Amino acid sequence: MLQATKKAPNPTDKHVGARVRMRRMMLSMSQEKLGDALGLTFQQVQKYEKGANRIGASRMQQIAQILQVPVEFFFEGAPAAVTVGGAAAPADAGAVSHTFVSDFLATQDGITIARNYPLIASTKARRAIVDMIVALALQED
């Protein structure tokens, strides 16, 4: 008997899901609360956020309304689309990938830092925090 191999999520579906998660977390909304608003279980929301399940157009519009963003928000920084002929869409060679920002803001720590950092009044204190983060990142274990 043949075993079905699990298909990896489509990169665009994964990106859109990560953006849903990021926005949901920015609003301090639980997966359960978003699921309730959509008439879904939190497990279904999890599948959307991981890109395991593709979000249909009408559902995406509903999510955008609940999360108070335009639908385009979910596609910002998405992987390049593939044309009908199979060639990748031209990429701007000078463009900086913002995936790392999305990945960072899709974590609870990222949201907490982004929410509170601007509230630090002291410029010296903010600079010291940045310097500390850089130093820690360069440390070898």
Side-chain angles (χ1 to χ4, degrees):
M1 176 160 57
L2 292 174
Q3 275 195 325
T5 58
K6 191 164 182 153
K7 187 178 171 189
N10 175 288
T12 300
D13 294 334
K14 197 171 176 182
H15 177 82
V16 167
R19 298 283 292 180
V20 168
R21 177 178 166 79
M22 177 179 69
R23 181 61 182 163
R24 176 183 60 75
M25 292 176 72
M26 287 172 76
L27 296 174
S28 300
M29 182 183 291
S30 68
Q31 288 177 332
E32 187 175 12
K33 186 173 177 183
L34 178 56
D36 288 346
L38 294 167
L40 302 171
T41 64
F42 79 90
Q43 291 96 334
Q44 183 64 46
V45 172
Q46 278 181 331
K47 288 180 180 182
Y48 283 156
E49 289 182 356
K50 290 179 181 178
N53 285 4
R54 182 169 287 164
I55 303 173
S58 59
R59 177 75 72 202
M60 186 171 294
Q61 189 172 30
Q62 192 179 14
I63 292 170
Q65 185 175 20
I66 292 164
L67 298 181
Q68 304 164 10
V69 292
V71 171
E72 299 82 32
F73 170 85
F74 302 117
F75 294 95
E76 290 174 8
V82 176
T83 63
V84 176
D92 179 1
V96 175
S97 170
H98 296 289
T99 305
F100 70 96
V101 174
S102 295
D103 291 348
F104 175 69
L105 290 175
T107 68
Q108 190 60 53
D109 288 340
I111 294 293
T112 300
I113 291 168
R115 187 174 284 142
N116 290 291
Y117 181 83
L119 302 177
I120 301 169
S122 168
T123 304
K124 283 185 177 182
R126 285 196 310 269
R127 185 69 240 169
I129 291 168
V130 170
D131 291 344
M132 179 187 66
I133 290 170
V134 171
L136 289 170
L138 296 175
Q139 258 184 357
E140 293 184 29
D141 288 330

